[in-house]
Amino acid sequence: MYLKVECLGGAFIQSVWPIKGRTTEDWNKVLGYVWDDNVKHWIRAGFCTGDPGSCNTWVAHSSKVA
């Protein structure tokens, strides 16, 4: 459930990112604050698609939600 929240957060960030004039360097800095690889995976998944539908952690492979 918490990984789904991270993914949805990534999708939201993607939706507002261009408005603020943010750069790739800024995005990498944000990800630098995240230590857990699975959390990073789900934040990136949401950010890359910008689609909350891509955040279905219930059907993900167990290695991505463990």
Side-chain angles (χ1 to χ4, degrees):
M1 175 175 68
Y2 293 108
L3 293 174
K4 186 177 195 87
V5 171
E6 299 293 349
C7 184
L8 292 170
F12 170 76
I13 291 169
Q14 195 275 344
S15 73
V16 298
W17 199 260
I19 295 171
K20 301 289 186 183
R22 301 294 182 189
T23 65
T24 301
E25 183 179 324
D26 295 329
W27 174 244
N28 290 333
K29 187 174 182 177
V30 168
L31 288 178
Y33 294 117
V34 180
W35 296 99
D36 185 275
D37 288 337
N38 274 341
V39 172
K40 277 186 185 182
H41 167 80
W42 287 103
I43 292 172
R44 283 185 184 126
F47 186 84
C48 287
T49 65
D51 178 15
S54 68
C55 297
N56 191 350
T57 58
W58 302 112
V59 297
H61 190 273
S62 62
S63 67
K64 296 296 182 192
V65 292

